[in-house]
Amino acid sequence: MATQLSENEAVEAAVFRHLVKHLQDDTELQNIDLMNLAGFCRNCLAKWYAAEAEKQGKTIGYEEARTMVYGMDYQQWKEKYQK
């Protein structure tokens, strides 16, 4: 049974998707730069995603969450974009 999101939750979910898409598209933005400026990076988002999924009883591991955040396998992203 699907749960209805509140109006705010629907907006928050859309904002999260927009942030993830932005980070996937802006490959020049390195994780170390994000950590230094914002205190979090793509890996942090993946950890938070996996942790929240677990709290809600869903089975989404860190690697699966990281693939979702990066838009590809982390090793592939690292080889292709990490400086």
Side-chain angles (χ1 to χ4, degrees):
M1 177 175 198
T3 10
Q4 291 251 330
L5 295 179
S6 73
E7 212 171 285
N8 285 346
E9 289 171 325
V11 170
E12 291 163 357
V15 170
F16 176 76
R17 288 189 300 272
H18 187 86
L19 172 62
V20 168
K21 176 87 170 89
H22 177 75
L23 292 174
Q24 288 174 355
D25 292 345
D26 190 356
T27 57
E28 289 294 313
L29 183 55
Q30 298 294 300
N31 281 333
I32 189 69
D33 298 329
L34 279 168
M35 285 300 292
N36 288 334
L37 294 172
F40 76 97
C41 68
R42 292 170 182 90
N43 293 323
C44 296
L45 283 177
K47 288 176 186 174
W48 299 339
Y49 193 96
E52 190 59 38
E54 184 178 334
K55 284 182 195 173
Q56 294 187 26
K58 296 175 177 62
T59 307
I60 298 174
Y62 174 56
E63 288 304 320
E64 184 179 353
R66 196 151 69 160
T67 298
M68 187 275 304
V69 169
Y70 282 91
M72 64 181 68
D73 179 75
Y74 172 68
Q75 286 303 106
Q76 181 184 7
W77 189 93
K78 191 174 168 182
E79 290 168 7
K80 197 169 182 181
Y81 299 115
Q82 187 168 312
K83 295 179 181 178

